[in-house]
Amino acid sequence: MQRGSGSCVTATFTSGYSREALVRERAQQMGRNPDELVARMQALPQDLVRAYFETSYSVHVQAGECVLRIPEPVPAAINELLEARQAASWTIITAVNPYSQPVSAEENTRRSELLAELLTLHRLQTFPATGKSDCGGWEEESLCVLGLTYNMAQALGSAFQQNAVLYGEKDAVVELIFCAQRPASRVSR
């Protein structure tokens, strides 16, 4: 997801929860460390966090396009796909714009090809996916990967320098996993 790629006014998050409370509650439900996830979320600019929640994530499967949103339930078509492919989970990940900083089209292509090659090497099932801001200010090509565990999804996102990835399990809700943060730059003395 790219920062600063357009401005728009969208509906505010009105589920009765703050994003922090939502992340904390979901982490506790799943037996994860809520303090770690909230700290990772708080380390990011809030406009970026808001952008994740104000995005539609489309997965392109044989039955057509299936739209996912945080924190809505995983759609029936994705649950059916998981069952048919004997997978317990899915992850939407991109390799473009490391740490949400724009890079050249050539670099994004190289990074995307590397991600696809890695997933193919590990014989993971993938489907094309797209993240699109609600206001149409940006769109980002991604992959939906079947069968990664939560920790594997987080590690893969970190390895490809992503701030977050989407994750879900059968009959659950769409989750946002915050990955490892950008390392502090070193200053030469």
Side-chain angles (χ1 to χ4, degrees), residues 13-19 22-23 25-26 29 52-55 57 68-74 166-167 172-176:
F13 190 68
T14 58
S15 70
Y17 286 97
S18 69
R19 290 179 190 90
L22 181 68
V23 168
E25 179 181 305
R26 182 65 182 154
Q29 289 171 349
Y52 285 115
F53 283 84
E54 295 175 354
T55 296
Y57 303 88
L68 302 119
R69 293 191 60 89
I70 307 163
E72 295 178 3
V74 173
L166 241 59
Y167 178 82
V173 297
V174 177
E175 292 184 65
L176 187 60

Side-chain angles (χ1 to χ4, degrees), residues 13 24 32 42-43 53 58 72 75 164 167 186:
F13 190 68
R24 185 174 296 285
R32 300 181 185 122
Q42 290 174 338
F53 283 84
S58 300
E72 295 178 3
Y167 178 82
R186 295 182 183 189

